[in-house]
Amino acid sequence: MLDRLQALVDRYEKLSELLCDPDVVSDNKKLRDYSKEQSDLQPSYEAYMEYKTVMEELEAAKQMQAEKLDDEMREMVKMEIDELSTRQKELEDKIHILLLPKDPNDDKNVIVEIRGAAGGDEAALFAADLYRMYTRYAESQGWKVELMDVNENDLGGFKEVIFMINGRGAYSKMKYESGAHRVQRIPATESGGRIHTSTSTVAVMPEAEDLDIVIHDKDIRVDTFCSSGAGGQSVNTTKSAVRVTHVPTGIVATCQDGKSQNSNKEKALQVLRTRIFDMMRQEEEAKISGERKSKVGTGDRSERIRTYNFPQSRVTDHRIGLTVHRLDQVMNGDIEDILSALTVAQQAELMEKGE
C-alpha cells in the first residue's frame, strides 16, 4: 500500500509541475485532463500527507514517553499517543477506501428511466412520485435535470419517464437506484380503504459519450410520428416525435418531449447510445463478476430493492437491511443517507474481498 501511495504522491507533484508549464497552460485539452487527474488524486494525496505527519508525531511522542517524566507530563504524553493512534487508524481506513478501484463511470451524468410496473394506474402514479423524488434530490446536489421523454396516463401518473441528470458524480450516487421499487399504500382510486402493493422499475445508466459508442447512420432507422398526451390523445399534429431503432441490436429509443423533430432526434440518439453502452457494460460486468456478485448491485432492474410503506411512514432498503421512518422526507428527495449507506456497504464488500 505504501508503494502505491508514494507513486500517487509522485504523480500528484508531477501534475503540479505540468500545470505550471506554459505549453500545458496554452493547451486546453491537456490543461483540462491534467487538472481533472490531479483533482481525482487530491483526496488520497492529502490523506497520505496527513498520515505521514501523524506517524512522525506519534514516533516523537513514543520517544518522549521512554524518557524520565513526572506523572503529569507522562499522562499528557499518554493522552497524545492515544489521540494520534486513533487518528492513525481513521486515516488508514480512509486511505484503504480511497485506494479501492474506482468505477470509471462514476463522474458521468446519468440517464434514468422509470416505468410503472405491477399495479396499473397506481404504479404509474408511484413512478411520478419517484421522478419527483429524484428531481428534488438532484436539485439538492446542485445538479440539472433534463426531461427526455414522458408517457402519462389520465391521472397524471407516468407509464414511463426518461430524464437526464447532469452533474459531476451523478452516477456514483445514483447507480444503486436501479431495480424494482415497491409501494404499499391506499390508492386515491380505492374506495374501500384497502392497502395496495404496486411496483415501479428504475434503470440508472451512465451517459454514453460519442467516444464510448459510435452509431453509424447505416445502422439506424428513424421514424417520425405525431406526439401524444395522456391516454394516447394527440397533442401535436406535426410529426415532431421521433423513434430511432438501432438495427444491429434491436434497441429502440423514442422522444416526443422536444418542440422540434431535430431536438427530439438528438435526444433519442442520446438515449439510444446510452442504452447500447449500458448493455455492453452489463455484459462485460457479468463476465468478470459472475462469481462475486455484489449484494448492493447496480443494474438488475428486476430485483426488488426498496419498499415504501405509507401507512407506517417506513422506507426499507432490502439489500442492506436499512429502515428509516421518515417517508415524507424521503419522497421529498431527502435520500442522501440511504445512498451513503449503500456506498459504505459496497466499499466494505470491496475491502473484504481485498479488491
Side-chain angles (χ1 to χ4, degrees):
M1 184 181 79
L2 293 177
D3 289 342
R4 288 179 64 191
L5 286 167
Q6 190 55 54
L8 181 150
V9 168
D10 294 342
R11 179 58 180 169
Y12 183 90
E13 293 176 348
K14 178 63 177 177
L15 287 167
S16 295
E17 295 177 12
L18 289 170
L19 289 170
C20 295
D21 187 326
D23 291 337
V24 172
V25 174
S26 62
D27 187 324
N28 288 334
K29 184 178 186 306
K30 284 185 178 180
L31 184 64
R32 182 178 64 251
D33 292 346
Y34 289 155
S35 296
K36 182 182 182 305
E37 184 183 356
Q38 188 181 58
S39 176
D40 291 341
L41 292 176
Q42 187 168 350
S44 299
Y45 173 81
E46 292 178 347
Y48 182 50
M49 298 308 289
E50 182 183 355
Y51 177 76
K52 289 177 69 174
T53 300
V54 166
M55 294 302 294
E56 290 170 0
E57 293 176 354
L58 185 58
E59 180 61 28
K62 288 180 177 178
Q63 289 179 4
M64 184 178 293
Q65 189 180 45
E67 300 174 1
K68 292 184 178 180
L69 305 171
D70 58 42
D71 291 345
E72 183 178 355
M73 182 60 73
R74 184 174 297 279
E75 183 62 28
M76 290 178 61
V77 172
K78 181 180 182 302
M79 289 176 59
E80 183 180 7
I81 290 175
D82 289 344
E83 290 175 1
L84 289 168
S85 297
T86 298
R87 186 56 182 159
Q88 174 194 358
K89 180 64 169 61
E90 291 172 350
L91 287 168
E92 287 175 350
D93 290 343
K94 180 178 181 179
I95 289 170
H96 272 109
I97 291 173
L98 288 170
L99 291 180
L100 289 173
K102 185 179 179 182
D103 188 327
N105 297 309
D106 273 354
D107 286 338
K108 290 190 174 184
N109 303 325
V110 296
I111 288 181
V112 184
E113 300 179 347
I114 306 175
R115 294 181 176 86
D121 286 338
E122 170 62 7
L125 289 169
F126 183 54
D129 290 339
L130 290 175
Y131 169 71
R132 184 167 53 252
M133 178 182 79
Y134 291 133
T135 298
R136 291 179 177 175
Y137 174 68
E139 291 170 352
S140 74
Q141 300 296 305
W143 298 336
K144 179 184 176 183
V145 176
E146 179 185 0
L147 186 63
M148 309 289 283
D149 197 27
V150 62
N151 182 2
E152 297 181 74
N153 69 2
D154 295 326
L155 300 177
F158 294 160
K159 297 177 182 178
E160 177 184 58
V161 59
I162 303 172
F163 57 101
M164 173 179 282
I165 297 178
N166 292 277
R168 185 172 180 183
Y171 185 69
S172 69
K173 294 201 172 190
M174 289 290 296
K175 62 184 176 182
Y176 303 118
E177 291 303 286
S178 290
H181 295 242
R182 182 175 69 170
V183 61
Q184 295 174 325
R185 63 183 177 187
I186 301 171
T189 55
E190 170 58 54
S191 59
R194 294 175 299 172
I195 297 173
H196 286 225
T197 298
S198 305
T199 58
S200 294
T201 62
V202 175
V204 178
M205 300 171 290
E207 180 194 13
E209 301 172 5
D210 291 341
L211 293 177
D212 297 320
I213 295 293
V214 177
I215 297 179
H216 301 286
D217 289 342
K218 64 181 179 63
D219 290 334
I220 62 172
R221 184 177 70 248
V222 179
D223 300 305
T224 59
F225 56 97
C226 295
S227 60
S228 60
Q233 181 181 2
S234 178
V235 295
N236 191 339
T237 56
T238 62
K239 291 187 176 182
S240 62
V242 175
R243 180 188 301 109
V244 182
T245 303
H246 186 246
V247 177
T249 63
I251 294 176
V252 179
T254 302
C255 184
Q256 59 179 351
D257 189 63
K259 295 180 179 179
S260 71
Q261 188 179 111
N262 285 338
S263 172
N264 284 330
K265 181 181 177 182
E266 285 302 313
K267 287 184 178 182
L269 282 170
Q270 196 172 25
V271 172
L272 184 71
R273 188 182 296 111
T274 295
R275 286 177 176 169
I276 295 171
F277 178 63
D278 188 61
M279 179 191 71
M280 295 171 61
R281 181 183 63 84
Q282 291 196 49
E283 288 177 351
E284 184 63 25
E285 287 184 356
K287 291 178 184 177
I288 64 177
S289 63
E291 297 179 359
R292 52 180 178 83
K293 186 176 181 181
S294 167
K295 69 178 180 182
V296 174
T298 59
D300 187 355
R301 65 197 69 180
S302 65
E303 174 194 6
R304 189 190 73 189
I305 62 170
R306 194 174 299 146
T307 294
Y308 305 75
N309 185 295
F310 276 70
Q312 299 179 25
S313 187
R314 185 183 73 230
V315 180
T316 299
D317 194 288
H318 304 290
R319 295 164 293 181
I320 56 176
L322 174 68
T323 296
V324 296
H325 291 86
R326 47 178 196 81
L327 183 140
D328 287 347
Q329 294 97 312
V330 168
M331 298 309 298
N332 201 38
D334 186 4
I335 58 174
E336 178 64 27
D337 57 346
I338 298 176
L339 301 185
S340 295
L342 288 162
T343 300
V344 169
Q346 177 72 355
Q347 290 171 344
E349 281 189 52
L350 293 173
M351 289 181 68
E352 184 178 340
K353 295 167 183 173
E355 297 188 11

